[in-house]
Amino acid sequence: MQKKIKILLVQNDCDAANQTVHFLENVGFEVDVSETAVDGLLKLSLHAYDMLLLDLNLPDFSGLEVIKQINNQSTIPIIVLSAYNDTAIKIQAFRFGVDDYLCKPFVLEELEVRIWAILKRCSRIKLDVARKSLAIDYNTQTILFNQQPLSLTAIEYKILAFLIENKNRVVYRNVLAIHLSSLSSPQSLNYHIQNIRKKLGDNPKKPIYLMTEYGTGYRLVL
C-alpha cells in the first residue's frame, strides 16, 4: 500500500482550514491542523511531514517568524497561504525560504497541483505513467513519449506536464489558465492543445489520449 503524503496545515481560520482539509483528504493526502505557531512547531518536531501549508496571520506570532525558525532546523517544503497580497511581504517570504505563495482566495485544485509540483521538484523524481508511454523528466524539463523526447514549446511542456500530473481527471480550463499564468492567455489554450495532440499523434476527432470535456476542460487518459 502506497504511503500517503502527510501535510501539516497551520491556520487559525477554522472554516477555511476545514474546507482545505476536506478537499486535500478527498484527493488522497493525510492532513493535520494546528491553529497556532507554537502548536505547529511542536507537531513538526514530533512528526515527519512532507509539506507545510502556512498562514502568515497567526494568533501567537508571525508566520514569517515560523518560516525562519523552521528553515534553521528543517528542509520541509513550505507553501504560504495568505490574505497578504503585498509584494514586499511575498519577497520577504521567499527570501526566508518558502517554496510557493498563494494569495487568498484561491482555488483548492490549484493548491493541490502546486503541492505535487513542489514535492516532485524537491524529490527530483520522474513521473512514470500507467502505459509507460509518457514520462516527465523534471531535471531537464522534457517529456518522453515512447522513450523519445517530445519537441514542445515552454507553454506546451507546462500544459502537458500539468495534465500528466492530473492524469485521468478533468482539468478545468480556468485552473489550467491560472497555472499557465503570464505564459499564455486562455484564448490561446485551444491552439496549444491542438499542437500537443499533433505531437502525440492523437486524432483530433477521435483522440485516445487528450480528451476535451466540453464546457469544463480537458482530461489526459493514461
Side-chain angles (χ1 to χ4, degrees):
M1 186 175 181
Q2 188 175 5
K3 174 181 173 289
K4 284 189 175 183
I5 300 296
K6 193 168 183 179
I7 295 173
L8 176 63
L9 171 63
V10 182
Q11 184 174 43
N12 72 323
D13 182 335
C14 292
D15 290 338
N18 288 338
Q19 290 177 10
T20 303
V21 169
H22 179 73
F23 174 82
L24 292 178
E25 288 183 341
N26 277 345
V27 296
F29 296 106
E30 181 180 337
V31 188
D32 288 343
V33 180
S34 291
E35 295 183 6
T36 66
V38 170
D39 185 62
L41 291 168
L42 178 61
K43 281 189 170 71
L44 284 171
S45 69
L46 296 175
H47 307 285
Y49 292 100
D50 300 291
M51 170 73 66
L52 172 65
L53 306 179
L54 178 67
D55 197 337
L56 295 183
N57 187 22
L58 298 171
D60 43 0
F61 57 93
S62 167
L64 292 173
E65 293 299 320
V66 176
I67 295 163
K68 285 197 294 185
Q69 187 162 340
I70 289 169
N71 283 335
N72 288 333
Q73 304 171 8
S74 171
T75 58
I76 186 172
I78 302 171
I79 299 179
V80 167
L81 311 176
S82 178
Y84 298 124
N85 197 23
D86 183 79
T87 301
I89 294 177
K90 291 180 184 178
I91 291 171
Q92 191 174 15
F94 280 110
R95 283 180 174 163
F96 283 174
V98 305
D99 297 88
D100 208 344
Y101 192 114
L102 267 176
C103 292
K104 301 176 184 178
F106 53 83
V107 178
L108 287 168
E109 286 85 354
E110 183 186 1
L111 172 61
E112 179 200 357
V113 296
R114 286 179 184 251
I115 289 171
W116 281 118
I118 290 170
L119 290 173
K120 292 183 181 81
R121 186 168 70 241
C122 290
S123 59
R124 297 181 180 179
I125 64 170
K126 291 182 182 180
L127 177 66
D128 295 314
V129 296
R131 292 185 187 177
K132 296 184 179 179
S133 56
L134 276 170
I136 305 173
D137 186 332
Y138 290 96
N139 292 325
T140 60
Q141 291 200 328
T142 56
I143 294 178
L144 304 177
F145 183 56
N146 293 330
Q147 300 183 337
Q148 296 297 318
L150 286 171
S151 177
L152 301 169
T153 66
I155 297 171
E156 290 166 0
Y157 167 82
K158 197 164 186 180
I159 292 171
L160 186 53
F162 189 82
L163 290 169
I164 292 172
E165 289 163 359
N166 291 274
K167 61 185 184 294
N168 301 318
R169 297 176 56 188
V170 176
V171 174
Y172 294 96
R173 282 183 62 92
N174 63 333
V175 173
L176 195 51
I178 291 170
H179 181 67
L180 293 175
S181 183
S182 60
L183 286 178
S184 183
S185 67
Q187 293 77 19
S188 64
L189 190 54
N190 290 343
Y191 170 77
H192 297 307
I193 292 291
Q194 288 173 7
N195 284 342
I196 291 170
R197 280 201 179 110
K198 288 178 184 177
K199 293 174 181 182
L200 292 175
D202 229 357
N203 185 334
K205 294 183 179 179
K206 293 183 178 180
I208 60 172
Y209 291 110
L210 185 46
M211 310 293 188
T212 298
E213 301 291 338
Y214 292 99
T216 54
Y218 303 97
R219 179 166 52 92
L220 189 68
V221 179
L222 294 169

